[in-house]
Amino acid sequence: MNPTLARLQRLLVMVPWLLDHPGVHVEEVAERFDVAPGDVLDDLDVLGYCGLPGYGGGDLIEVSISGDRVAVRMAEFFARPLALSVREGLALLMAARATRDSGILAEGHGPLESAIDKLTDHLGGPAGLPVVLDIDAGGSDLLRRLMPAVADQRVVRITYRSASKEETTVREVEPWALRSTGGAWYLQGYCRMAEDARAFRLDRIRDLGVSDERAPDPPDEPPRPPVYEPTDADPVVVIDVGPESAWITDHVVLSDREQLADGRLRLTFRAATLEWAASLLVRLGATATVVTPDALRDVVRARVEDVLVNYGQG
């Protein structure tokens, strides 16, 4: 795991535990979280920079180490009431449940259980409806088959459906890693067809075969997260969307966002391909308008015509 991500995950469960054990020895913290005492001190040093901009009294988490004993005091803003959106509330609820179920905290951790109950009640609305979270990412059935293949460095053969190019191909992949990003599982490795590193979403793999062929060792540097990173060569897309389609901002890397006089949003972003942007716009339907480029309008029009033909309306 990426060292920075590992530290972040450790801090997320370390902070509530330290608050529950004021004055604990550094050695005990190290034993509890299975790290060296020096790593604990490094984590605490990072924690001291966490808080709100301003860097005055009450803005940052306070960490004090007296001898070999540790005490943590939360910044004052943690005591202020929060106005959470549904999205923020669900993310916080999932993190709280994951922390509770990790087993790192003491049994019956009262404050955390109370926070989970309050979040559940709040998100359930006035009718008190239960909140059920399904965090099973697509492709989890393939995950069980791919894990031993990655561990044994066995070449896999996949039938893959590309979302951006709308095509299905058969590829041989030398697997490097499996990674969960943005709610989806990805297989990362060297694609022999592309002759380059690639990441494949498991829920887009239509067929999987594991061979007996051993793949070369993966590169020493861990593969980068399978997220889109715009380049200067990618086309710039500008669209106007209504308020009901503001969710699109979570699915693109925005370079500009402008609030228009009529209440709509003008969004500017780069797309890997115009075909990918067209797929997104088809989902938005009449709530979105293409401003530029003109070529995108043609791709969207062709995509809509294909859909109508497939449904017998062309």
Side-chain angles (χ1 to χ4, degrees):
M1 179 184 293
N2 181 284
T4 301
L5 180 58
R7 170 173 287 179
L8 175 60
Q9 291 180 339
R10 189 165 61 244
L11 282 172
L12 286 174
V13 293
M14 183 185 291
V15 171
W17 189 83
L18 289 173
L19 290 171
D20 211 32
H21 297 78
V24 65
H25 285 269
V26 172
E27 291 283 351
E28 185 177 346
V29 180
E31 182 179 353
R32 178 71 180 182
F33 293 94
D34 194 26
V35 294
D39 292 331
V40 172
L41 296 177
D42 289 342
D43 289 347
L44 296 176
D45 182 61
V46 171
L47 189 60
Y49 293 95
C50 297
L52 292 178
Y55 312 110
D59 293 323
L60 301 177
I61 297 174
E62 294 184 9
V63 179
S64 61
I65 302 176
S66 179
D68 58 355
R69 292 182 177 273
V70 181
V72 173
R73 189 178 77 84
M74 302 302 286
E76 293 175 3
F77 72 85
F78 282 101
R80 302 170 191 163
L82 295 177
L84 298 175
S85 66
V86 173
R87 184 187 301 274
E88 292 168 336
L90 285 172
L92 187 58
L93 179 59
M94 292 175 65
R97 287 181 175 178
T99 300
R100 178 196 61 189
D101 297 340
S102 69
I104 199 70
L105 300 176
E107 289 292 330
H109 189 77
L112 182 60
E113 291 290 350
S114 175
I116 290 173
D117 291 341
K118 290 177 181 178
L119 276 169
T120 303
D121 291 342
H122 176 72
L123 292 170
L129 299 175
V131 176
V132 179
L133 301 177
D134 182 3
I135 57 175
D136 179 31
S140 56
D141 53 332
L142 295 177
L143 188 63
R144 289 183 286 271
R145 296 173 58 192
L146 280 167
M147 281 182 173
V150 173
D152 295 339
Q153 295 178 234
R154 302 293 181 183
V155 175
V156 298
R157 183 182 178 89
I158 63 173
T159 301
Y160 190 73
R161 178 66 175 175
S162 170
S164 61
K165 297 181 179 179
E166 293 289 330
E167 65 179 10
T168 301
T169 54
V170 178
R171 303 164 180 256
E172 288 187 341
V173 180
E174 300 170 6
W176 293 343
L178 290 163
R179 178 172 293 189
S180 177
T181 299
W185 279 100
Y186 291 82
L187 168 66
Q188 294 179 282
Y190 179 82
C191 174
R192 291 178 174 176
M193 186 181 84
E195 297 183 342
D196 200 358
R198 288 290 186 271
F200 302 96
R201 275 184 58 148
L202 299 199
D203 58 356
R204 294 179 186 150
I205 295 178
R206 300 295 179 254
D207 189 42
L208 168 69
V210 180
S211 74
D212 293 330
E213 180 185 355
R214 289 293 300 271
D217 291 336
D220 294 333
E221 287 291 326
R224 303 181 68 177
V227 294
Y228 169 64
E229 296 183 356
T231 69
D232 292 340
D234 295 337
V236 176
V237 173
V238 182
I239 62 173
D240 292 345
V241 300
E244 66 274 25
S245 297
W247 57 265
I248 191 181
T249 58
D250 293 331
H251 296 264
V252 297
V253 183
L254 290 177
S255 55
D256 189 43
R257 171 177 174 155
E258 178 186 356
Q259 184 74 51
L260 302 178
D262 61 359
R264 291 163 64 81
L265 291 174
R266 175 157 293 178
L267 307 176
T268 303
F269 58 93
R270 289 187 182 272
T273 64
L274 291 182
E275 287 76 14
W276 180 86
S279 298
L280 195 60
L281 285 161
V282 169
R283 292 172 58 191
L284 293 173
T287 66
T289 304
V290 176
V291 178
T292 187
D294 292 338
L296 179 57
R297 295 191 185 93
D298 298 334
V299 178
V300 172
R301 188 178 300 110
R303 184 67 57 84
V304 172
E305 290 174 354
D306 287 343
V307 171
L308 293 176
V309 169
N310 290 336
Y311 281 89
Q313 301 179 32

